Amino acid sequence: MRFRPLAICVVLLIGLSSTVLCAKAAPQKPVLTPPQRIISLSPGVTEMLFALGLGKKIVGDTVYCDYPEAAKKIAKIGDVRPNYEKIVALKPDMIVVDGVAEKSAAARLKQLHQPVFIILPSSFAAVENSLLALGRATGRSEQARAVVAGMEHKRRQAAALAKAHVGRRPRVFFVATLRPLWTAGRGTFVDDVIAIAGGDNSASSVQGYAEYSKELLVSKPPDVIFAGEHDLKTIRTDPALRQLPAIRDNRVAGDGGEMIQRPGPRLADAAVYIAYVLYGGSR
């Protein structure tokens, strides 16, 4: 499934007021006072901020924010459950929230009258639009355009590998977790990256991130399976899964780690990686 470019709307809530900015609307006025104390509520957001050169302005992020290395040294404001008291105490002037994954956190922060900036990185194009919106909001538009240009270069590289291949697009299955078995269906950024790399998501019958039965996986066998390194070992010895052609033919590969699990600039690297596995030989 291919995604149309999305008009990603960014909601900026400052104090008691609420202003809606749309990433595909008319150009915004230059930022008069760029934020100096930024909090990130997810690893993907943290990677975006560092890519824009804003690492030194981040005063708080989550325990899962571990890339780049400098992100590990930033004060931690929680995990999947933010510590709202600590967030308020850090006196941020911008809190960047992934509105796809953190709806409840965004709502709670709004109740606390915190300066929330919501992005919706639900696809490859949406990640690019989120970067551009963040660039406008932080006075880093030039850096954002450069990051997006780099992502586009890699997207074209992945697409070129797929285009050079003649024949049916390989069916791809992405293992999000193995026990229980969960995957990324249609409407996810993982599904989008698989399409960019020239694959067809064999789990496109499910919406979003969902549990997927082994019986369904066997009945609709993929050509290639991507999974975490630990899960790959288990898959190869699982009695129900060993009969899959992808396992028999050793068409299994690591999932690329965080670069495909996080909606950030490295999704472009994930697209190139998947395309090489599908068409250019595993790297």
Side-chain angles (χ1 to χ4, degrees):
M1 172 180 178
R2 292 188 182 278
F3 285 80
R4 297 187 302 273
L6 302 178
I8 299 304
C9 291
V10 182
V11 180
L12 177 59
L13 305 165
I14 299 181
L16 296 175
S17 65
S18 175
T19 304
V20 178
L21 305 180
C22 187
K24 294 198 75 175
Q28 301 295 323
K29 294 180 180 179
V31 177
L32 298 179
T33 307
Q36 301 299 313
R37 298 181 60 81
I38 304 174
I39 288 179
S40 164
L41 259 59
S42 70
V45 166
T46 297
E47 292 192 24
M48 289 188 199
L49 294 171
F50 269 95
L52 297 181
L54 294 166
K56 292 184 179 180
K57 297 186 185 297
I58 305 174
V59 296
D61 65 12
T62 76
V63 296
Y64 302 117
C65 297
D66 56 7
Y67 185 90
E69 188 70 21
K72 298 178 181 179
K73 302 176 183 179
I74 296 171
K76 304 304 173 185
I77 49 81
D79 43 35
V80 293
R81 296 173 296 276
N83 184 326
Y84 297 107
E85 184 177 348
K86 189 168 186 178
I87 289 173
V88 173
L90 285 170
K91 301 183 184 302
D93 50 15
M94 172 183 271
I95 304 171
V96 186
V97 179
D98 179 340
V100 177
E102 300 150 353
K103 293 180 181 178
S104 60
R108 178 57 180 152
L109 289 165
K110 181 179 178 180
Q111 291 176 347
L112 295 171
H113 308 302
Q114 292 299 296
V116 179
F117 191 91
I118 300 177
I119 59 174
L120 303 173
S122 57
S123 68
F124 191 94
V127 169
E128 293 180 329
N129 285 333
S130 295
L131 282 159
L132 294 172
L134 276 171
R136 289 193 295 270
T138 58
R140 299 295 176 103
S141 288
E142 184 177 347
Q143 292 91 331
R145 288 192 293 269
V147 173
V148 169
M151 291 181 67
E152 281 296 294
H153 173 75
K154 292 174 182 176
R155 181 188 63 78
R156 290 191 295 271
Q157 182 181 352
L161 278 169
K163 188 176 181 180
H165 174 74
V166 178
R168 178 179 61 81
R169 292 161 64 95
R171 294 184 299 269
V172 174
F173 186 80
F174 175 81
V175 178
T177 66
L178 187 58
R179 293 178 177 171
L181 180 61
W182 278 63
T183 190
R186 67 182 183 277
T188 63
F189 59 83
V190 172
D191 177 68
D192 202 21
V193 170
I194 289 172
I196 289 170
D200 282 334
N201 189 351
S202 67
S204 60
S205 60
V206 301
Q207 176 72 35
Y209 293 92
E211 194 165 1
Y212 202 84
S213 70
K214 290 182 181 179
E215 292 76 17
L216 186 55
L217 182 59
V218 171
S219 68
K220 299 175 64 176
D223 299 304
V224 183
I225 296 174
F226 288 90
E229 294 299 332
H230 180 267
D231 287 340
L232 285 177
K233 296 178 182 179
T234 305
I235 289 171
R236 288 189 174 101
T237 58
D238 186 287
L241 300 181
R242 280 186 302 180
Q243 59 184 299
L244 290 171
I247 304 299
R248 294 200 309 264
D249 300 338
N250 198 32
R251 293 282 284 166
V252 295
D255 62 7
E258 290 85 1
M259 69 180 179
I260 195 173
Q261 298 166 7
R262 298 174 177 178
R266 290 193 293 164
L267 275 186
D269 298 298
V272 173
Y273 168 72
I274 293 173
Y276 266 99
V277 171
L278 298 182
Y279 300 111
S282 179
R283 294 192 305 174

